[in-house]
Amino acid sequence: MISVGNKLSDVDIVCNSNNIEVTISTTGDDFSGMVYPKGLSENSTCLAEYEHAGNKITYRLPLRSCNTMSHDVREGVEYFNTVVIQPHSKLVTSLGRGFHVRCRYQTKNNKTVGSDAANNNIGTTPKKELAPMPTCAMHIFVGRPNEHHIAEHARIGEYLTLVISIEDQDTYGLKVTNCIVRDGLGWSEQPLINNDGCPIDPDLMGPFEYDSSLTKAQVSFPAHKFPFTASVYYKCNVKLCQKKVAGGCDDVPPVCDATGHNVRRRRRKRQSDAELQDRGSLEKLRLQDEDLRDKSVEVYGGLYVNEVDEDEEPEASTSLSSRSDDEFCVSTRKFAIGIAIAGVLLMLAVILLVACIVHRRRRRKGTSTTGSSIYSGPYSNHAYSRD
């Protein structure tokens, strides 16, 4: 139960594939007010206004915008956000109430994909060998991925690492294409990686680096944001290729030319056109392409990026590959303050030493002038006198 003004309301949540459906039932006759995600009370596509909407309203919160974020949980992913209900249609008042909504989705399933396996026996037909569909995930890290610091908040210019991976297996590899970054309000987006897997603007994001098994690709880039919102969302298309099929993963990783095209993909197309002349081979290639067309998924990730304060000294950014684990960084301001403090301590130590030396000399001088002197008068010994 949640209180909205002087009314009580029940909140029901339904987890859909693309949004979280929030249904609010009030005890009054009708509801007039606003519903929006926390931090987005200004006029935006995420704010919903209601005027005499009855005693039940439905608000749909997108999973991949409007400040909805996600994190990995066991065998799935959880999306979460904070929704605010304001019982006034124009003003933000203290009567507004907020509640945290969460939806958990399972990503592991028994979905399988097939590959044709020919049989050499006469009179038989091709049969389908089923292989489990590997799960795919995107993670955004601050710094190096092996440090396991998931990026929830970052500052402009801070280095992030975007990692896309599928389960480690021997059948399929991955190829990352069509990456874009969107704002959290649905107003603007910027392409980053094209359909060939090549970067569009290297200043924003460079090419992905693939591991030897073709099950993981990663790229490091400086954090960026849109000027009117702090939340950014990344989306990439992941295509699967068959590693054990001739020509399946030959164009991965991509080799990009100056025009942003994959040289390996063009070379593969020319070889295929030259070698596969008979109808049966061309038909087999067509079936393989249709089969792989269904083996592509979209992956998402999001975080908040804030601007550096004007009165705060920005941290010096270095390349991730040039830093070692034994190094540490100290800002110029802190280094200068440390040198000044060390100089003052050194001067105090010298002054104290000089004062001690002067004090000891004065004590020695006073001792030598006030002591008794040796008696040097005439001496006679009457014990040995003679008559």
Side-chain angles (χ1 to χ4, degrees), residues 347-359:
M347 291 177 61
L348 292 175
V350 172
I351 293 173
L352 182 61
L353 179 62
V354 172
C356 291
I357 294 175
V358 172
H359 182 67

Side-chain angles (χ1 to χ4, degrees), residues 26-39:
T26 65
T27 57
D29 295 334
D30 54 8
F31 174 81
S32 295
M34 300 178 292
V35 180
Y36 54 87
K38 183 180 179 181

Side-chain angles (χ1 to χ4, degrees), residues 48-85:
E49 297 179 334
Y50 300 90
E51 189 72 26
H52 303 293
N55 59 2
K56 182 176 291 187
I57 59 175
T58 300
Y59 176 76
R60 292 177 176 85
L61 180 67
L63 293 182
R64 301 179 183 99
S65 62
C66 297
N67 287 350
T68 304
M69 293 299 171
S70 64
H71 61 255
D72 292 335
V73 294
R74 186 174 183 180
E75 295 185 353
V77 60
E78 184 178 73
Y79 290 87
F80 58 92
N81 205 334
T82 300
V83 176
V84 179
I85 303 175

Side-chain angles (χ1 to χ4, degrees), residues 102-172:
R102 294 177 180 269
C103 274
R104 183 171 296 185
Y105 299 84
Q106 288 186 349
T107 56
K108 293 184 180 297
N109 49 51
N110 295 324
K111 183 179 179 181
T112 57
V113 291
S115 60
D116 288 328
N119 195 314
N120 294 327
N121 295 330
I122 299 177
T124 61
T125 57
K127 64 181 180 180
K128 222 42 163 171
E129 282 188 357
L130 298 180
M133 181 76 167
T135 59
C136 185
M138 173 190 290
H139 298 93
I140 304 175
F141 299 92
V142 177
R144 301 182 180 90
N146 55 9
E147 296 174 353
H148 303 291
H149 297 318
I150 297 293
E152 296 181 356
H153 295 81
R155 295 186 177 180
I156 291 180
E158 186 175 9
Y159 269 89
L160 305 174
T161 302
L162 189 149
V163 179
I164 299 176
S165 60
I166 60 176
E167 290 178 312
D168 193 10
Q169 32 73 49
D170 297 330
T171 305
Y172 298 105

Side-chain angles (χ1 to χ4, degrees), residues 292-360:
L292 287 176
R293 194 175 300 136
D294 297 331
K295 302 179 183 63
S296 62
V297 294
E298 291 182 344
V299 290
Y300 300 85
L303 74 157
Y304 296 101
V305 178
N306 301 315
E307 296 183 8
V308 179
D309 297 335
E310 294 181 358
D311 56 348
E312 183 177 354
E313 182 181 359
E315 298 180 358
S317 59
T318 57
S319 174
L320 294 176
S321 59
S322 62
R323 294 186 297 176
S324 64
D325 295 335
D326 297 332
E327 294 180 353
F328 66 95
C329 298
V330 179
S331 64
T332 305
R333 180 184 300 176
K334 292 180 180 179
F335 181 76
I337 293 174
I339 292 296
I341 294 174
V344 171
L345 294 177
L346 181 61
M347 291 177 61
L348 292 175
V350 172
I351 293 173
L352 182 61
L353 179 62
V354 172
C356 291
I357 294 175
V358 172
H359 182 67
R360 292 183 62 182

